[in-house]
Amino acid sequence: MGVSGCGKTTIGKKLSKKLELPFYDADDFHPKSNVDKMKKGIPLHNEDRFPWLNILADSIKKWQDDKGAIVACSALKESYREILSSKNKDIVWIYLDGSQSLIQNRMERRQNHFMKAEMLTSQFNDLEVPNYGIHVAISQSPEEIINEIMLKLKFMDKSFFGVIGLGVMGKSLSLNIAEKGYSLSVYNRNTAGEENVVEDFLKIKEVGMKIKGFTALEEFVYSLERPRKILIMIKAGNAIDAVIEALIPLLSRGDIIIDGGNSHFTDTKRRAIYLENKGLSFVGVGVSGGEEGARKGPSIMPGGNKTSYSIIAPVLESIAAVDKGGTKCCTYIGPGGAGHFVKMIHNGIEYAEMQLLAEIYNLLSPTKTNEEIKEIFREWNSGELASYLLEITADIMTKKEDGEYVIDLILDKAGNKGTGSWSTKAAFDLGTVNTMMSSAVFARYVSAFKEKRKSLAKRINKADDVRDSLSVADIKNAYKFARIINHQQGFEVIRLASETYNWNISLSDLSRIWTNGCIIRSALMTDCISHFKTNSDLFELPEIVDYLNANEDAVKSVLIYGLKHRIPLPLFAEANTYWISITTERLSANIIQAQRDYFGAHTYQRIDASDDQYFHTNWY
């Protein structure tokens, strides 16, 4: 279909040979009165076309009842196409798209055709371009047009959504999406070590799931309906940019690329601006929950273009976890890199929560069995300290292989993927404090120096390992104390980022989507929903400050015990240091200011002067 002169007959006949189907030219079915009008240069009106279209509709039904056909027809208006398909809905529309000037030149060279070139303007005036079917540019050669049509015909049953990358998270999210009823296309590169990834994935799809697999990126893109919605689930960094560059020539204006990995928020902002200039949309989505969460319902943190998010929201919200109120744990976070920023801080909070439990294990393991530690954790998990991380740590304690505890066989070297250090850098940039996160990162770094630690440990004279008592109640209260500090610091980083970058993030709603599906879900996070409805800082709540004040001694007991027995407790130490510092009216920073003024003449303020006055002393 298309205006006169676009090449319908030429392409139709070639396609007829290719597909071994009969060809028909719709112009041959015009009544003589219509042909006479057009020869005289008189445009046809609806009353002229409707009888002709009904004749064609009857013929199309007959052809389809046989084995089908290729038909060349202008079918300029949607109402005309409705008539043509009224007796057969199984029509594949192929729209031959070209500019008026290009077609005008072709028509002027055409001999002995009843449709004159001067009629072309009226055709373009009548043309209603379909937003469905196959669209092909006629600026190509006939052979190129046929090849493109054949490729696109192969993928006429378009998928609604696409996923690139079938790693652990990509596989789980793909199955989750398909389970919700969405037709899906998946792609994974076919390189050494990944030759059978797509094939193996298609074997595990469940009955009823509509999933197509591809190892050719072009075929993957063609398999998606427009606007294309493509979720990238690969390692963050340069690989994301490489995939984006490979996608750009294959995509169309309005298509949406979604990055579901742990990308840095500044990269997300950069990519969004870059793609917007190319007519494409980019959405950065934080996804938390691990393999199980991705499959059964993760917490999802989308940021970027809000209009684009509204298009993909039905998919993301359908696969997300559900909070206690029945609302999906997925909400629009803010523009630019907001989604990836809050996921980054989520991971920083997660680092600290994990390290706190590791330190408690360090405190308990010398005097208690794995079974006893598990029972302590399980008891805590039944109350206000309940969390996903506490639950799984209890499970970890007594898992056995061949009669031995797995935890006792695991090497004490912790890995990391960088998001913890990013959180620390973000706090530096914003001029705020996240010592809990940064200490958790450094604790992992120290653990990595295993050989050095072994060597130095042999040179240390240790006292007799006689343990005095440390009450479980003190550890419990110190744990709650440190977790409050961790959450306060994490949300304070997000609050300042939201103000700095104009993201307008709701801390209460963010807390809500972190109450299920994600790694840091907990009873404390649920409490944060109401806390942040009326306050922007946990320290603004009297009950929080009262609890921390009342439990300073519990933290002190834990730290003293750790010092006496050479147990490193960086997170408990940082929680205590931050709390003492933030609640001390006069700190030692006056010495720092004097030093800076001494060697660099940086000036200082005074307690007996106004805040806008600065002084310098000649110290030597």
Side-chain angles (χ1 to χ4, degrees):
M1 60 155 293
V3 298
S4 181
C6 67
K8 295 187 296 293
T9 301
T10 300
I11 299 303
K13 288 180 177 179
K14 288 181 176 293
L15 198 59
S16 170
K17 290 181 180 179
K18 192 82 172 178
L19 295 175
E20 298 181 347
L21 292 172
F23 171 78
Y24 299 97
D25 191 329
D27 287 344
D28 295 339
F29 293 80
H30 269 297
K32 185 176 181 300
S33 57
N34 285 1
V35 176
D36 290 341
K37 266 191 168 186
M38 288 185 284
K39 282 182 176 179
K40 295 176 183 177
I42 303 173
L44 298 180
H45 298 293
N46 285 344
E47 57 267 25
D48 301 315
R49 290 193 176 95
F50 286 159
W52 165 64
L53 292 168
N54 280 306
I55 292 170
L56 279 171
D58 288 333
S59 300
I60 287 171
K61 186 178 186 307
K62 292 177 185 176
W63 298 329
Q64 180 60 21
D65 290 343
D66 185 9
K67 64 174 183 177
I70 307 295
V71 184
C73 180
S74 55
L76 300 179
K77 293 187 176 183
E78 184 63 26
S79 59
Y80 303 166
R81 297 190 285 271
E82 288 175 357
I83 294 173
L84 290 171
S85 60
S86 61
K87 298 179 181 179
N88 172 39
K89 301 298 182 185
D90 190 20
I91 293 178
V92 175
W93 297 94
I94 300 175
Y95 170 57
L96 300 182
D97 186 13
S99 67
Q100 186 169 344
S101 59
L102 172 63
I103 297 172
Q104 183 88 24
N105 290 334
R106 290 184 179 182
M107 291 182 70
E108 288 172 352
R109 296 195 300 270
R110 187 165 66 176
Q111 301 292 324
N112 302 320
H113 196 281
F114 63 82
M115 178 67 77
K116 304 301 181 184
E118 54 266 25
M119 297 283 289
L120 189 58
T121 298
S122 66
Q123 291 236 320
F124 269 96
N125 289 339
D126 287 342
L127 177 63
E128 295 172 0
V129 178
N131 60 3
Y132 49 83
I134 294 173
H135 292 223
V136 185
I138 65 170
S139 54
Q140 308 173 84
S141 70
E143 289 71 25
E144 289 173 325
I145 292 174
I146 292 298
N147 288 337
E148 184 175 341
I149 290 173
M150 292 301 295
L151 179 61
K152 291 183 175 180
L153 280 173
K154 183 179 178 182
F155 302 113
M156 275 307 296
D157 183 18
K158 301 285 190 181
S159 296
F160 182 79
F161 202 81
V163 175
I164 291 177
L166 292 175
V168 171
M169 291 292 286
K171 287 178 184 176
S172 296
L173 286 172
S174 294
L175 292 172
N176 193 346
I177 293 167
E179 183 181 62
K180 300 304 184 294
Y182 291 101
S183 56
L184 184 71
S185 289
V186 297
Y187 165 86
N188 200 87
R189 61 184 182 178
N190 186 21
T191 56
E194 298 185 64
E195 298 90 345
N196 300 316
V197 168
V198 172
E199 182 182 347
D200 291 343
F201 174 73
L202 294 178
K203 291 177 183 176
I204 66 173
K205 73 175 184 179
E206 299 169 15
V207 175
M209 290 184 175
K210 300 176 182 177
I211 305 178
K212 301 173 187 174
F214 300 90
T215 55
L217 191 61
E218 184 177 19
E219 293 185 1
F220 164 76
V221 171
Y222 280 151
S223 75
L224 299 169
E225 69 175 55
R226 295 165 63 183
R228 301 177 182 96
K229 300 161 282 291
I230 300 173
L231 172 63
I232 302 175
M233 293 301 301
I234 63 174
K235 185 177 180 181
N238 294 335
I240 299 288
D241 291 311
V243 169
I244 288 172
E245 289 302 320
L247 283 172
I248 287 172
L250 306 175
L251 298 180
S252 305
R253 180 170 292 274
D255 288 349
I256 304 168
I257 298 175
I258 310 150
D259 177 8
N262 281 328
S263 290
H264 195 278
F265 77 101
T266 57
D267 287 336
T268 301
K269 180 181 178 181
R270 167 180 58 80
R271 289 162 182 153
I273 295 171
Y274 174 65
L275 288 169
E276 184 179 359
N277 291 332
K278 295 183 177 296
L280 303 171
S281 290
F282 188 75
V283 178
V285 176
V287 181
S288 176
E291 181 179 7
E292 182 180 13
R295 180 65 184 87
K296 297 179 180 178
S299 173
I300 304 178
M301 299 146 258
N305 182 288
K306 194 169 186 179
T307 301
S308 297
Y309 169 66
S310 67
I311 295 172
I312 62 174
V315 178
L316 298 185
E317 292 174 8
S318 73
I319 66 171
V322 180
D323 67 17
K324 290 182 179 178
T327 304
K328 288 290 188 175
C329 293
C330 174
T331 190
Y332 177 72
I333 301 299
H340 275 143
F341 185 92
V342 299
K343 176 55 165 58
M344 176 181 72
I345 302 302
H346 165 289
N347 287 10
I349 295 172
E350 175 187 310
Y351 269 54
E353 293 289 288
M354 294 169 71
Q355 178 63 27
L356 280 170
L357 287 167
E359 291 179 19
I360 292 172
Y361 167 75
N362 234 6
L363 287 166
L364 294 174
S365 59
T367 59
K368 297 189 182 298
T369 67
N370 287 3
E371 284 81 3
E372 288 172 329
I373 297 173
K374 177 175 184 174
E375 287 308 310
I376 290 170
F377 287 168
R378 289 183 65 180
E379 180 187 345
W380 291 359
N381 200 52
S382 64
E384 61 182 351
L385 288 177
S387 73
Y388 170 74
L389 284 170
L390 184 57
E391 175 188 346
I392 67 168
T393 308
D395 290 341
I396 286 167
M397 294 311 306
T398 54
K399 177 68 175 178
K400 289 185 176 182
E401 285 183 5
D402 299 325
E404 294 190 77
Y405 294 111
V406 176
I407 192 64
D408 296 336
L409 300 173
I410 296 176
L411 185 66
D412 57 327
K413 288 174 64 174
N416 73 92
K417 292 187 176 179
T419 49
S421 61
W422 290 352
S423 300
T424 297
K425 292 172 185 174
F428 280 136
D429 292 339
L430 292 165
T432 190
V433 180
N434 70 345
T435 51
M436 299 288 284
M437 298 179 200
S438 58
S439 290
V441 174
F442 286 128
R444 294 194 188 190
Y445 289 174
V446 171
S447 77
F449 295 104
K450 177 65 176 179
E451 294 306 313
K452 187 172 185 177
R453 288 190 288 116
K454 284 173 63 177
S455 175
L456 288 171
K458 295 174 183 177
R459 298 161 58 184
I460 301 300
N461 294 320
K462 298 181 182 177
D464 293 339
D465 196 18
V466 177
R467 301 278 168 168
D468 51 2
S469 62
L470 174 65
S471 75
V472 173
D474 276 347
I475 299 175
K476 179 180 180 180
N477 288 327
Y479 177 47
K480 179 179 177 181
F481 181 106
R483 292 188 67 228
I484 292 172
I485 299 295
N486 181 33
H487 283 65
Q488 189 275 339
Q489 289 188 352
F491 278 107
E492 183 67 1
V493 175
I494 294 171
R495 184 188 69 79
L496 285 172
S498 180
E499 289 182 2
T500 302
Y501 304 123
N502 298 313
W503 287 338
N504 196 30
I505 296 173
S506 165
L507 298 183
S508 178
D509 210 23
L510 182 59
S511 302
R512 182 190 64 75
I513 69 169
W514 284 350
T515 59
N516 199 13
C518 75
I519 303 299
I520 60 173
R521 60 186 184 265
S522 68
L524 174 57
M525 191 64 72
T526 300
D527 291 341
C528 285
I529 300 173
S530 56
H531 290 338
F532 287 123
K533 281 184 177 178
T534 54
N535 302 278
S536 60
D537 187 327
L538 293 181
F539 286 171
E540 294 172 357
L541 295 156
E543 62 269 33
I544 293 288
V545 174
D546 289 346
Y547 178 86
L548 295 172
N549 187 41
N551 284 278
E552 282 187 20
D553 284 346
V555 181
K556 191 183 303 181
S557 296
V558 166
L559 292 175
I560 290 171
Y561 185 86
L563 288 169
K564 287 175 66 176
H565 299 288
R566 298 192 82 252
I567 300 173
L569 302 171
L571 270 287
F572 282 108
E574 287 298 345
N576 180 69
T577 298
Y578 178 68
W579 169 248
I580 298 300
S581 297
I582 204 70
T583 56
T584 297
E585 183 176 354
R586 185 167 173 82
L587 295 172
S588 58
N590 54 327
I591 294 293
I592 304 298
Q593 287 299 85
Q595 291 167 337
R596 294 176 72 243
D597 189 56
Y598 189 109
F599 64 69
H602 292 295
T603 73
Y604 55 85
Q605 295 168 288
R606 294 170 61 108
I607 60 174
D608 56 355
S610 62
D611 288 345
D612 59 352
Q613 288 184 280
Y614 290 84
F615 300 85
H616 167 64
T617 294
N618 184 6
W619 297 95
Y620 46 85

